[in-house]
Amino acid sequence: MPTRRSADSTDGEKLFETAVEQFDAAAELIGLPDNIRQILRSPKNEIIVNFPVELDDGELRVFRGYRVQHSDILGPYKGGLRFSPHVELDEVKALAMWMTWKTSLSNVPFGGAKGGIAFNPRNHSIGEIERIVRRFTHALGSNIGPEHDIPAPDIGSNAQAMVWMMDTYLNSGGNGDRQNTRRVVTGKTIETGGSVGRDKATGQGAAFVLAHHLEQVNRDPRGTTVAIQGFGNVGEHCARAMTHMGIRLTHVADHTGAITNDNGFDPEALWRHTSEAGGVGGYEYAEAIDVEEFFQAEVDILVPAAIENQITAARAPKIKASVVVEGANGPTSVEGEQILIDRGVEILPDVLANAGGVIVSYFEWLQNKMSARWQLNQVDDELRRYLWEAADGIEEEKKRLACTRREAAYAVALNRIGTVFEQRGIWP
Ligand code: NAD
């Protein structure tokens, strides 16, 4: 039964309700047995830690962190860690559930998890952020581990944060096998055991998924236009990869504003601006526009690569793009998606479009395990292969079940999980 939301539910509650609604619809479509539905509707573990950190001025503040482990039926829990003042338990539960579908769809041997610390890194010094990350890692203790639960960067966190986590875990005793402990996190810097191509993997992956789709519908990417919301890790690398395909980047938006330039932006120059200014707002080679104008832009492709719930029932009717590539997690509401589908807009869903990050995280984890180093072309080629295989599986299922692309993606993911549950049985 789909859950019903009350008028005063929080954004996190709504997000979790959306995640459960999407799951229920797909479970119904493939006839997933009821006992497996019951198991997958709730996360296995919900961990909340409160921990004190001394700030630069000597004041002591207690921070709250979360780690939700949704399912480990296919392998160790895997998922990002978000630093944002808006982080709350239900939001993390939704994101953890989506990770389970994503890892299954991508056919990497991981389960699904997500975590977060409720704070705004923009309001803290590097020293304070380091202490917050280290105390959080210490508080999690053995709830994470290289064969148990492997965090990675997400909104607000980055490679440096992962290195602090790894170092803290290692120095707290790790799992006793110090050299093998590096893979307790992925998305690290190259020097500390990260993989080449991991920083750009999610954005690059979204571009690979788009290229595959355009090829299938016989559409040349060259000369098409794109609007990207978010110019962080995903948005920036998506911009680079898509402009490399010959697509003109005419609109960009982030938390500091929305900008446009008909001639197209150079992602490298825009990145230099955002690194100094903290966002795209105020970029001199652009015209500033309103965020609603951004969503109504006359473009062929729209990439929401920032936060959840951006393509809503109010915005969806006005979107001009014919393809939406979901770089962010959960950027389209259930109602917004239905409107886009009715209008014939193709949606490349988040579980596929942003799976590049977790796929290359798997490559990083493998390289650490084997003490190996892959070349960039090997990482990119393998990433493309994994994503295109997943995309082909979705298209087949979409035809067979006559359903939406998101439902088809869930069907592929749930079938794989359902089979493993059936074969393993439910113990005792
Ligand atoms: P990030 O912190 O590097 O960048 C976030 C971007 O979103 C920034 O440009 C920020 O300005 C923008 N933003 C924040 N609030 C906004 C608002 N209210 N309106 C408009 N823009 C806003 O984060 P990221 O890693 O690029 O993650 C972006 C999305 O992609 C998230 O949904 C995340 O869960 C998802 N994702 C990330 C990865 C990864 O590997 N980093 C992998 C899969 C999915």
Side-chain angles (χ1 to χ4, degrees), residues 82-83 95 99 102 114 122 152-157 198-199 201-203 229-236 253-257 278-280 291 304-308 310 327-331 350 354-358 361:
R82 184 171 281 200
F83 299 164
L95 293 163
M99 279 308 296
K102 197 179 299 177
K114 200 80 179 192
R122 291 193 194 97
D154 193 71
I155 293 181
S157 60
R198 173 59 185 90
D199 56 345
T202 308
Q229 187 200 29
F231 204 72
N233 176 281
V234 181
E236 178 220 326
D254 72 2
H255 73 287
T256 61
V280 301
V291 64
I307 53 169
E308 300 88 24
Q310 295 302 291
N329 284 308
D350 49 8
N354 70 30
V358 76
S361 272

